[in-house]
Amino acid sequence: RGEEAIPAGAVVVCDEASAMPTRALDRLASLVSARAGRLLLVGDRAQLPAVDAAGAFAALADRLGSVELRENRRQRTELQRRVAERLAEGAAAEAIALLCEHGRLGSYSDARDARNALIASWARRHADEAATALILAHDRREVALLNAMARSALDGAGHLGATRITAAGREWATGDRLVCRRNDYRLDVRNGTRGTVVDVDADRHALSVRLDDGRDVRLPPGYLRHVEHGYALTGHTSQGATVDRTYLLATPERGGREWAYVAASRQRIDLEVFAVHHDQDRLRDALERAWSRSQAKSLAIDLAVPE
């Protein structure tokens, strides 16, 4: 929007700053400085970094210092607080032991069995309140499979409306969960905005949606190609989300310390992990190694070897 988007002397708060690419953060900082403003960066360096070159948030915190909030206000049970804290600290073995001790870690040798068990557990609690839960997986292929299974379970139980439209190969009905995948400032939705379809306009091929933040928006046909079913998400897409319960499909071959922390800390009340590994006797050890492997990014100047 240009410089005028930031008034002179403004205080700009950048949330989820740990997920912001370094080049974008540099542009923002330069623009705020040129407008004689002040930039406040808020984020969690233990979470997933940006897909692009990243590491600026942690590097600035190390160089300039930071204020740390230590009180956990999301998790409402002692078990969930302990699991989230152990993963944030990198103590994956302790977190996994807690999950096993309380029956929250299921072990499967076949991914199909794990998906079926996950959807069955999700559907028992959330068939009529899908917005209170979140299914997480490693990649978009698994997310697409889980979305289709979750939606089929809801439809079979009669929780989706009779009026349907199809857009970009996806069917939509009242009661469907969705996630927006592109910023649109005119519609006031962002990449990652989630909501529930409350009305289907078959004549105009549009959806009325109640967003999770309580706002109502209408998504026209031109935007629906940028909308996906939102029962299941990847770890990156889920950053910033808060739900009552999380259902996590995990494989030791995928993910790392930051992924595990994000995926296992979206919930207020409960977390169920459905882990897949060909060798059941070694699953816990394999999961511990994966969840201990950091994928954090650093600035190039911090990695350069001095001459």
Side-chain angles (χ1 to χ4, degrees):
R1 297 182 183 180
E3 286 191 1
E4 298 306 316
I6 299 178
V11 176
V12 178
V13 180
C14 177
D15 196 14
E16 300 290 347
S18 60
M20 196 167 185
T22 297
R23 292 182 181 88
L25 184 56
D26 176 58
R27 287 170 54 202
L28 177 62
S30 297
L31 183 57
V32 173
S33 177
R35 302 292 290 168
R38 185 177 184 184
L39 178 62
L40 302 182
L41 304 180
V42 183
D44 187 342
R45 63 189 300 169
Q47 292 189 353
L48 285 162
V51 175
D52 202 349
F57 176 77
L60 289 172
D62 290 339
R63 286 167 169 79
L64 305 177
S66 62
V67 175
E68 184 176 0
L69 302 178
R70 294 184 171 273
E71 181 182 1
N72 184 333
R73 301 180 65 88
R74 175 178 285 160
Q75 279 73 46
R76 296 180 180 174
T77 69
E78 181 62 23
L79 171 62
Q80 300 307 319
R81 282 192 290 270
R82 291 171 65 191
V83 169
E85 288 166 2
R86 297 301 179 274
L87 290 173
E89 297 164 354
E94 296 179 29
I96 292 169
L98 285 168
L99 292 170
C100 290
E101 179 184 344
H102 291 83
R104 313 320 289 159
L105 176 63
S107 175
Y108 302 86
S109 57
D110 191 313
R112 291 170 296 184
D113 294 335
R115 286 193 292 267
N116 288 333
L118 186 155
I119 293 299
S121 182
W122 173 86
R124 280 196 298 271
R125 292 190 180 95
H126 305 286
D128 58 351
E129 50 176 6
T132 65
L134 189 58
I135 301 168
L136 294 179
H138 289 287
D139 57 46
R140 299 188 70 171
R141 176 184 173 277
E142 285 288 358
V143 164
L145 288 171
L146 291 166
N147 267 322
M149 294 172 69
R151 188 174 191 271
S152 178
L154 286 193
D155 204 11
H159 292 289
L160 298 183
T163 302
R164 311 286 173 100
I165 64 171
T166 300
R170 295 184 181 87
E171 185 181 74
W172 297 100
T174 301
D176 261 321
R177 292 287 293 164
L178 61 73
V179 57
C180 298
R181 300 298 291 152
R182 175 171 289 189
N183 295 341
D184 191 310
Y185 296 99
R186 180 179 57 86
L187 298 174
D188 200 17
V189 295
R190 307 289 186 270
N191 182 11
T193 296
R194 299 172 66 229
T196 302
V197 178
V198 295
D199 185 60
V200 175
D201 188 336
D203 294 331
R204 293 180 174 82
H205 218 67
L207 300 177
S208 295
V209 181
R210 172 65 54 82
L211 301 182
D212 288 355
D213 61 13
R215 293 181 294 121
D216 292 316
V217 300
R218 185 175 177 83
L219 302 181
Y223 184 79
L224 295 186
R225 66 180 181 273
H226 305 303
V227 174
E228 299 174 359
H229 291 125
Y231 305 99
L233 303 176
T234 63
H236 274 92
T237 306
S238 75
Q239 288 200 136
T242 299
V243 292
D244 286 345
R245 290 179 169 84
T246 301
Y247 299 81
L248 173 59
L249 182 65
T251 57
E253 292 80 11
R254 306 289 301 278
R257 172 177 169 174
E258 292 77 17
W259 185 90
Y261 171 53
V262 168
S265 60
R266 301 302 91 200
Q267 74 288 346
R268 298 184 184 95
I269 299 171
D270 194 24
L271 164 70
E272 280 193 72
V273 180
F274 301 78
V276 183
H277 195 261
H278 66 279
D279 187 342
Q280 294 294 283
D281 294 333
R282 299 176 56 194
L283 185 144
R284 283 185 59 173
D285 290 340
L287 199 61
E288 178 187 339
R289 287 194 298 273
W291 286 8
S292 299
R293 183 176 60 243
S294 178
Q295 297 174 316
K297 297 184 177 181
S298 301
L299 295 182
I301 57 174
D302 290 335
L303 298 175
V305 177
E307 296 182 357

